[in-house]
Amino acid sequence: MTVTGTATGGTVSPRQRIMRAASSLFYSRGINSTSISDVADRASVSKRTLYQLFLSKDVLVAAYLETGVGYLEPGNNEGRLNDPSLSPREQLLALFDRPPEDPHFRGCPYHNAAVELSDRDHPGLPLVIEHKRQFLQQVVDAARRAGAREPDRLGRQLAVLFEGAMALTASLDDSEAFEFARTAAEDILRHGLPRDHPGQAPPVHQSPEQ
């Protein structure tokens, strides 16, 4: 059985359908609550076909995490760190743009996976760790481009703030946490960036009182 792709007009392979189904189900329902049968049914493939392509559920979960799980698409907050239209300071602040209201939003899939995968030998865990390390390095690099006096310290502060906002948003199903996190990020940047650096916003000049 083949499925015609609506975006390109071509056929979607069983592997692609499985990955799409797994990405949707693992993120929306959770990894542990999604069975191989659930994925096979959603992808319109047999379990035999699925196991021919992915030897186990653990292998499928690792493949899901390795593909980026659709989380870093253009417009995603983490992706804004590489937005060439923004200054380094704006890239850092864009991390804290309030996400659009979406009933399917469950926070960071890598964080969710780290919570669910209790087996320390699970093949997906190194991918979670690598993603988080790369994200931290991207924030530090942006802080350095912005002229931070201590880019490693400032980058780590912002990364922790972002992770907290994501986790609280997922826990409460309310993205208001990003509003408070952005205010805190602005304070961190105000104290951590020199005012005369190109990545920093220009100072506000106030007229002396008459």
Side-chain angles (χ1 to χ4, degrees):
M1 176 181 178
T2 58
V3 178
T4 300
T6 57
T8 63
T11 57
V12 181
S13 71
R15 182 182 181 88
Q16 289 174 311
R17 300 206 307 276
I18 291 168
M19 286 305 304
R20 290 180 183 179
S23 294
S24 175
L25 292 171
F26 287 156
Y27 184 71
S28 62
R29 294 185 187 178
I31 292 171
N32 293 337
S33 297
T34 299
S35 68
I36 284 294
S37 295
D38 293 333
V39 177
D41 289 345
R42 174 71 67 88
S44 298
V45 301
S46 67
K47 288 175 65 175
R48 180 172 180 271
T49 296
L50 191 152
Y51 278 121
Q52 286 176 335
L53 295 168
F54 302 92
L55 296 180
S56 68
K57 182 180 177 181
D58 286 354
V59 171
L60 180 58
V61 170
Y64 153 73
L65 294 169
E66 190 171 21
T67 60
V69 297
Y71 177 64
L72 302 181
E73 296 174 352
N76 172 273
N77 285 19
E78 287 191 32
R80 304 296 295 282
L81 288 170
N82 299 311
D83 188 338
S85 69
L86 302 177
S87 71
R89 181 182 184 277
E90 290 170 337
Q91 290 173 346
L92 292 168
L93 274 180
L95 280 173
F96 303 95
D97 288 346
R98 187 167 181 168
E101 296 300 327
D102 183 347
H104 304 295
F105 181 75
R106 293 188 60 245
C108 174
Y110 293 94
H111 172 80
N112 298 345
V115 172
E116 290 200 77
L117 302 181
S118 57
D119 180 1
R120 296 295 95 184
D121 294 324
H122 193 288
L125 278 181
L127 297 168
V128 172
I129 294 170
E130 180 62 20
H131 171 78
K132 291 300 182 182
R133 286 177 174 168
Q134 287 182 357
F135 168 66
L136 174 58
Q137 188 59 54
Q138 285 183 308
V139 181
V140 170
D141 289 344
R144 183 172 290 107
R145 294 195 303 272
R149 301 179 184 90
E150 299 180 80
D152 188 74
R153 176 182 174 85
L154 187 145
R156 289 177 181 274
Q157 289 175 332
L158 293 177
V160 170
L161 187 62
F162 174 76
E163 293 287 343
M166 287 288 284
L168 193 58
T169 294
S171 297
L172 301 180
D173 193 24
D174 186 343
S175 61
E176 184 183 28
F178 275 87
E179 299 287 347
F180 297 104
R182 185 181 179 92
T183 300
E186 289 172 344
D187 289 339
I188 291 172
L189 291 173
R190 188 176 301 112
H191 289 91
L193 299 183
R195 289 186 177 277
D196 58 350
H197 192 275
Q200 174 66 291
V204 176
H205 297 286
Q206 297 180 343
S207 301
E209 295 182 1
Q210 299 296 327

